[in-house]
Amino acid sequence: MSDLKNKIDDLLMKVNKPARYTGGEINSVTKDVNKVKIRFAFAFPDVYEVGMSHLGLKILYSLMNERDDTYCERVFAPWVDMESLMRERDIPLFSLETKTPLNMFDVIGFTLQYELSYTNILNMLDLSKIPVRSKDRKGYPLVIAGGPCAVNPAPLSDVVDLFVIGDGEEIINEILDLVISCKKDNVPKEELLRRASKIQGAYVPSLYVETYNDDNTIKSIKPVEDGIPVVIKRRIVKDLDKTYHPDKQIVPFINIVHDRIVLEVFRGCTRGCRFCQAGMIYRPVRERSKETLIELADKLIKSTGYEEISLTSLSTCDYSQIESLVYDLIEKYKDMGTGVALPSTRIDAFSVNLLNEIQKVRKTGLTLAPEAGTQRLRDVINKGVTEEDLVNSTKEAFKAGWKSVKLYFMLGLPTETMEDVKGISDLAHLVADVYKDVNGTTRGLKITVSTSTFVPKPFTPFQWYPQDDMESIINKQNYLKELLRGKIFSYNWHEPNMSFLEAVISKGDRKVGQAIIKAWESGCKFDGWDEQFKFDKWLEAFESIGVDPKFYAYKKRDFDEVFPWDIVDVGVRKDYLKREYKKAIEGRLTGDCRLYCTGCGIKDLDEGVVCFEA
Amino acid sequence: MKLRAKFKKDGDLRYISHLDLMRTIERAMRRAQIKFSLSKGFNPHPLISFGPALSMGAATHGDYFDVVIEGKIEPERFKRDLNKTLPNGLEIIDCYIVDDKDLLSDKVKEAEYTVDVYLMSYVIDLPDEIKRFLGRDEILIEKESKSGIKIIDLKNYILDFKMIEAKGSKITLYVKLKISEGSPGPTYVVKALDDFLGHVFDMEKILIDRRNLILN
């Protein structure tokens, strides 16, 4: 092991950001590997700075290491400079804590946050000399995967032994217990997986078969033997307030993407935006009490020394006691120079008042997400925000001294016309007018408009709707470039080819999985990174296995079509999603379900599932 | 009150940058509940200042930082408390009170280094070669600076340069240099020697340790 450490040491002066590979950070966990029963590698298929920003890693790393019988270590995708040196010198991918090669672990757990990181999973396995296909992995570590993208497990079904659907902290201990007992009794992997498949929320893809109709749609996904669940019910933490939240977080030496304490105030979202997968698959809303949060914040601040604490969730300003929580935290820690951050901001004057409070300690940027340029289209996506909201909130912000605003939109939303695209520019100009009203001039003003490309996702009302094609997106982007001229505006857009691939994989079946393996074999990795993305290699990969990617992204789906992800029950019912789809096309709104129940079905998923009640 | 702390940084912490080091010490002080003063303005930051930046990959056994503290703390206590919260690889080795007007940047004049290098080919008498190297009238090198590449004379900076140990192919050199705005680090000295000797060192495997910053 120390031999490997020396070999790694020899590389570190030759690569960018060597501290990505050293470990040893404050609050990282050291254990005697001989005194644990199971070694778990938490594998994040992107670079250190991205992976270390991820809340799920923080929770599961701490939770698993609370167990005396388990040692959870971290492993990230090495950046391409490190990878090429490792391959040249035959150095296997290793864990940060003990520099142990990945193939020496009992379990490797990948988190699936983004479809374009899937090739990195294959690459990480391969870098540890682990075969990428599960059928070739006799005698190798168990490979499991969870996270939001696992709600459609089909594309990685040939790679992953066991998927975990839902809240990881709810199920991981059962999986660890099972692996420990099977290891003790020398139970072979197939039998372990058969037993695992009976745990609620676990999906063992090798025990199911996907069949197709002549038109390439799915005919069925069925278990291959009796006694295996026909549908995988998502696991849900029922009482978040009583659920484990780490009171320590690793403090990296190098700057990571979100370099601050992350405190999860609630899970789920009640807004019901129709494009938003997270808003559907993390239901219901479950809050932590203010008392619990204040106590956790204190422990986290003391154990990390961080200068900022972020109150995180899908829509933090919706937290029922947000104002007093923010106020109390600011008062308590301002003398230490520790500030509070809100990651996603609702567009109303109330949020701006909160931001004003926050700004007393640390100046933050103002980021607002109207998502669509016209009221008509905002109604289609159920983004309950009006032009008036935007005017009021930016007015308050400019009065308080803000000079720059970031506005986030999506292009290619269902029913979008060029009029809606122009609406994006109109809103940006309107915000400029508001600034002029407040300050008498546009001097000093900076408005950044960013557009991403809409990707229809499983378990959303738009799962039946085709993605806008790449040419059309490019036209719309060019149109906005024309409209957003002038010094005060800057316009950022997203690579349309990447969004296309994201749509293909997120709605993909097992055949798409073959293409992913093929693409990786021809050199694809870090596909979410502009400078690494090789779209032509991807197209070749699809071609070589005889699959048309456009089928997955561009086909308008029938309401009675079987989807690859129908094997999973996230709790939100299909009839609710259909109803929302129809209302979207008619431009009708659905209210916030904190106010009244909109009947999504989540309460029937499981015993004890309680929705937020106002 | 203002404290001056002498610290060492080695092991894996050699791979963190100067900015990373500053953040790491700031956070360790918060964990130790040491109340440092904050600057005024939009983004308050701790009033800490460091000596000349170390290059990535270099260790130190004698660097300094100054920090302004709210209220009072015994230097010994500061050292003890902070050492409990610093990560492995960082350690405060000395701490004392200085006058508020005393600026670290005015005090740093010289630095001592050891440099480990590996020989790729045999040199008969390295100590003697170093003497020959230093015996020249001038040692001109190209040095990158903010305003582009400049020619400088190393002889204006080298106060002492010798071999202190040879173990097989591993050579340990001692370098003492003047420190001023834009002054060269020890890598330039070793590289100039390597050029002079016709490339005998493995310059990819060079290990720098700033043994001491000398304050006046």
Side-chain angles (χ1 to χ4, degrees):
Chain A
M1 209 191 304
S2 64
D3 183 42
L4 181 55
K5 167 113 173 74
N6 287 337
K7 281 183 178 176
I8 296 163
D9 251 3
D10 281 346
L11 306 182
L12 293 180
M13 283 305 287
K14 303 175 202 292
V15 298
N16 244 311
K17 302 189 188 175
R20 282 169 170 169
Y21 312 105
T22 55
E25 310 94 324
I26 287 291
N27 297 332
S28 59
V29 177
T30 310
K31 288 190 181 185
D32 183 345
V33 298
N34 298 312
K35 288 188 176 149
V36 295
K37 290 180 182 155
I38 186 169
R39 298 188 64 185
F40 189 105
F42 191 107
F44 196 100
D46 208 317
V47 290
Y48 176 89
E49 302 93 289
V50 175
M52 283 303 293
S53 303
H54 174 238
L55 176 64
L57 183 152
K58 297 175 207 281
I59 294 173
L60 292 173
Y61 179 80
S62 302
L63 179 68
M64 284 191 256
N65 279 323
E66 294 257 304
R67 291 174 64 126
D68 288 337
D69 57 3
T70 305
Y71 188 12
C72 174
E73 303 183 47
R74 295 162 296 152
V75 59
F76 300 93
W79 186 242
V80 292
D81 57 349
M82 184 68 169
E83 183 196 335
S84 71
L85 287 170
M86 287 166 68
R87 287 195 187 274
E88 193 184 297
R89 300 183 183 201
D90 204 24
I91 294 173
L93 185 59
F94 52 88
S95 64
L96 292 193
E97 279 76 1
T98 60
K99 311 289 179 293
T100 302
L102 208 47
N103 58 12
M104 310 265 289
F105 283 82
D106 298 299
V107 185
I108 303 168
F110 283 98
T111 178
L112 312 179
Q113 298 293 315
Y114 182 35
E115 292 80 359
L116 300 196
S117 66
Y118 286 3
T119 50
N120 280 4
I121 295 176
L122 308 180
N123 208 38
M124 287 167 80
L125 292 172
D126 184 64
L127 262 171
S128 332
K129 297 196 163 58
I130 298 173
V132 298
R133 287 180 178 83
S134 49
K135 67 176 170 62
D136 301 328
R137 280 203 303 261
K138 271 209 177 77
Y140 286 94
L142 183 71
V143 175
I144 73 173
C149 296
V151 296
N152 179 16
L156 288 177
S157 286
D158 287 341
V159 176
V160 172
D161 296 317
L162 170 73
F163 288 93
V164 168
I165 314 289
D167 296 327
E169 64 269 66
E170 184 69 13
I171 185 172
I172 193 70
N173 280 325
E174 289 165 47
I175 307 262
L176 293 176
D177 290 342
L178 177 71
V179 174
I180 288 170
S181 81
C182 289
K183 194 179 170 186
K184 189 172 129 252
D185 301 338
N186 272 320
V187 174
K189 199 194 276 181
E190 301 95 272
E191 179 53 26
L192 181 153
L193 287 171
R194 190 171 290 110
R195 291 182 196 174
S197 74
K198 284 156 193 161
I199 298 175
Q200 186 191 333
Y203 173 60
V204 178
S206 58
L207 296 175
Y208 296 78
V209 63
E210 193 176 82
T211 57
Y212 308 93
N213 298 309
D214 290 342
D215 65 356
N216 288 322
T217 55
I218 304 283
K219 190 173 180 187
S220 69
I221 308 143
K222 281 186 181 147
V224 292
E225 56 187 62
D226 288 342
I228 307 296
V230 291
V231 67
I232 313 303
K233 266 203 211 181
R234 179 181 144 230
R235 283 297 282 271
I236 298 182
V237 161
K238 280 154 197 161
D239 185 349
L240 195 68
D241 198 44
K242 293 201 177 71
T243 297
Y244 181 79
H245 190 295
D247 55 16
K248 282 180 185 166
Q249 274 169 22
I250 293 174
V251 187
F253 295 115
I254 58 173
N255 221 330
I256 60 170
V257 178
H258 300 294
D259 204 5
R260 52 188 74 91
I261 298 167
V262 180
L263 180 60
E264 188 192 30
V265 292
F266 66 89
R267 204 169 290 179
C269 179
T270 53
R271 299 252 149 194
C273 297
R274 291 172 180 136
F275 57 85
C276 180
Q277 189 188 41
M280 300 291 160
I281 65 168
Y282 285 110
R283 290 183 182 210
V285 159
R286 291 147 288 163
E287 290 196 345
R288 285 197 167 86
S289 70
K290 191 182 139 193
E291 294 67 39
T292 306
L293 292 171
I294 298 257
E295 193 187 317
L296 282 168
D298 194 61
K299 287 179 179 161
L300 284 160
I301 287 170
K302 284 183 177 143
S303 66
T304 62
Y306 258 123
E307 56 286 337
E308 193 166 64
I309 179 163
S310 170
L311 303 178
T312 190
S313 76
L314 292 170
S315 178
T316 297
C317 291
D318 287 343
Y319 179 63
S320 52
Q321 299 183 71
I322 185 66
E323 211 163 356
S324 68
L325 176 64
V326 167
Y327 187 77
D328 287 2
L329 290 175
I330 286 172
E331 274 306 302
K332 202 164 168 189
Y333 302 108
K334 67 179 176 196
D335 291 344
M336 293 171 72
T338 303
V340 177
L342 298 179
S344 46
T345 305
R346 204 165 69 185
I347 307 179
D348 56 26
F350 164 73
S351 323
V352 173
N353 285 339
L354 273 179
L355 285 176
N356 267 331
E357 243 354 276
I358 284 168
Q359 208 195 203
K360 287 177 188 164
V361 181
R362 198 167 292 270
K363 192 170 167 59
T364 55
L366 183 66
T367 303
L368 302 168
E371 308 290 5
T374 61
Q375 196 58 50
R376 185 199 71 80
L377 194 53
R378 284 193 296 274
D379 289 349
V380 167
I381 62 176
N382 204 41
K383 183 87 189 178
V385 154
T386 64
E387 207 171 277
E388 205 187 334
D389 293 330
L390 185 66
V391 168
N392 288 340
S393 59
T394 49
K395 189 185 282 171
E396 290 303 316
F398 293 146
K399 277 188 196 160
W402 264 281
K403 287 188 182 333
S404 64
V405 185
K406 285 183 188 159
L407 298 173
Y408 284 10
F409 297 93
M410 270 184 278
L411 284 179
L413 285 164
T415 77
E416 184 182 61
T417 64
M418 277 310 204
E419 195 57 34
D420 299 307
V421 179
K422 182 171 174 294
I424 292 174
S425 160
D426 292 345
L427 277 188
H429 283 88
L430 180 67
V431 170
D433 289 343
V434 172
Y435 185 90
K436 212 174 166 185
D437 277 352
V438 173
N439 293 300
T441 163
T442 54
R443 261 202 11 222
L445 173 64
K446 189 85 222 159
I447 298 176
T448 307
V449 174
S450 300
T451 62
S452 60
T453 303
F454 169 66
V455 178
K457 292 272 166 131
F459 297 107
T460 67
F462 293 150
Q463 62 181 350
W464 292 278
Y465 204 87
Q467 189 180 38
D468 199 2
D469 69 73
M470 287 176 275
E471 261 173 65
S472 161
I473 293 292
I474 290 167
N475 281 336
K476 289 170 181 175
Q477 289 174 344
N478 287 337
Y479 185 39
L480 278 176
K481 284 179 216 169
E482 289 287 316
L483 293 173
L484 291 168
R485 286 192 173 164
K487 269 197 292 194
I488 55 172
F489 299 110
S490 71
Y491 174 50
N492 304 322
W493 59 93
H494 200 251
E495 174 64 56
N497 299 344
M498 270 188 199
S499 306
F500 170 73
L501 186 61
E502 189 185 334
V504 174
I505 299 175
S506 71
K507 287 169 70 175
D509 53 19
R510 292 190 179 198
K511 287 186 281 187
V512 168
Q514 298 302 321
I516 295 172
I517 295 176
K518 201 86 194 168
W520 166 72
E521 283 169 349
S522 63
C524 292
K525 58 193 167 194
F526 285 108
D527 300 299
W529 294 72
D530 281 316
E531 72 271 36
Q532 298 294 328
F533 184 53
K534 302 175 189 81
F535 191 53
D536 51 336
K537 293 276 180 211
W538 272 98
L539 293 180
E540 283 167 26
F542 283 112
E543 177 128 30
S544 77
I545 57 149
V547 161
D548 178 12
K550 290 180 179 168
F551 169 85
Y552 298 92
Y554 294 161
K555 184 182 178 292
K556 188 172 188 312
R557 307 298 179 124
D558 293 329
F559 269 163
D560 52 6
E561 189 176 328
V562 177
F563 290 130
W565 53 95
D566 281 348
I567 189 73
V568 171
D569 178 6
V570 297
V572 171
R573 276 197 304 258
K574 223 177 193 179
D575 61 356
Y576 167 80
L577 297 176
K578 285 178 190 168
R579 204 158 69 225
E580 282 296 301
Y581 178 96
K582 288 174 189 157
K583 284 175 84 175
I585 303 304
E586 295 161 9
R588 284 161 57 208
L589 291 169
T590 296
D592 187 323
C593 61
R594 276 184 196 246
L595 305 175
Y596 61 92
C597 179
T598 56
C600 71
I602 190 70
K603 283 190 275 197
D604 304 328
L605 177 69
D606 219 343
E607 291 247 334
V609 173
V610 179
C611 274
F612 181 87
E613 275 163 28
Chain B
M1 78 187 275
K2 191 167 177 176
L3 292 179
R4 179 160 295 160
K6 187 176 189 179
F7 65 95
K8 68 171 203 181
K9 170 186 162 220
D10 60 2
D12 281 345
L13 287 211
R14 287 188 288 119
Y15 301 113
I16 72 171
S17 72
H18 190 61
L19 271 172
D20 297 334
L21 171 72
M22 289 162 71
R23 267 199 312 270
T24 299
I25 288 180
E26 179 186 331
R27 289 168 184 170
M29 285 200 287
R30 279 211 194 80
R31 287 192 296 274
Q33 309 220 13
I34 292 168
K35 278 211 157 184
F36 46 78
S37 300
L38 295 167
S39 67
K40 307 269 182 290
F42 272 134
N43 282 308
H45 54 86
L47 295 173
I48 308 177
S49 49
F50 283 77
L54 272 173
S55 59
M56 176 81 88
T60 178
H61 284 79
D63 267 48
Y64 292 86
F65 66 86
D66 284 357
V67 56
V68 181
I69 300 287
E70 291 281 311
K72 280 199 162 77
I73 184 169
E74 280 294 310
E76 263 311 303
R77 168 119 195 247
F78 176 90
K79 177 182 153 187
R80 198 182 62 224
D81 287 359
L82 192 53
N83 276 338
K84 282 183 197 154
T85 62
L86 282 170
N88 280 337
L90 258 180
E91 190 188 330
I92 307 295
I93 43 185
D94 194 13
C95 180
Y96 49 90
I97 300 169
V98 292
D99 190 86
D100 286 354
K101 293 193 191 78
D102 188 343
L103 294 178
L104 187 57
S105 53
D106 293 342
K107 292 276 165 148
V108 180
K109 296 293 173 204
E110 297 167 6
E112 296 176 287
Y113 300 87
T114 58
V115 182
D116 290 347
V117 280
Y118 290 83
L119 280 174
M120 295 189 301
S121 54
Y122 184 63
V123 179
I124 295 172
D125 189 347
L126 191 57
D128 195 53
E129 294 288 354
I130 293 174
K131 276 182 203 146
R132 279 208 311 129
F133 169 74
L134 291 173
R136 291 180 298 162
D137 291 338
E138 50 182 20
I139 306 173
L140 298 181
I141 58 148
E142 289 183 348
K143 183 180 178 293
E144 272 182 66
S145 69
K146 279 172 202 155
S147 51
I149 290 172
K150 273 165 59 177
I151 305 283
I152 58 165
D153 185 356
L154 280 181
K155 288 206 77 168
N156 295 333
Y157 300 95
I158 298 175
L159 298 167
D160 196 0
F161 183 29
K162 60 194 176 195
M163 189 186 92
I164 52 176
E165 196 179 60
K167 264 189 193 165
S169 67
K170 186 185 169 194
I171 305 292
T172 303
L173 303 165
Y174 169 85
V175 193
K176 188 172 176 185
L177 293 172
K178 273 189 200 163
I179 298 235
S180 59
E181 180 79 33
S183 60
T187 314
Y188 283 102
V189 178
V190 177
K191 190 173 176 306
L193 175 66
D194 189 51
D195 289 343
F196 177 74
L197 296 175
H199 304 295
V200 295
F201 299 136
D202 180 356
M203 290 301 291
E204 289 215 318
K205 251 181 121 173
I206 172 167
L207 193 61
I208 294 166
D209 188 343
R210 184 143 76 194
R211 297 303 303 177
N212 200 16
L213 276 179
I214 298 162
L215 308 185
N216 70 347

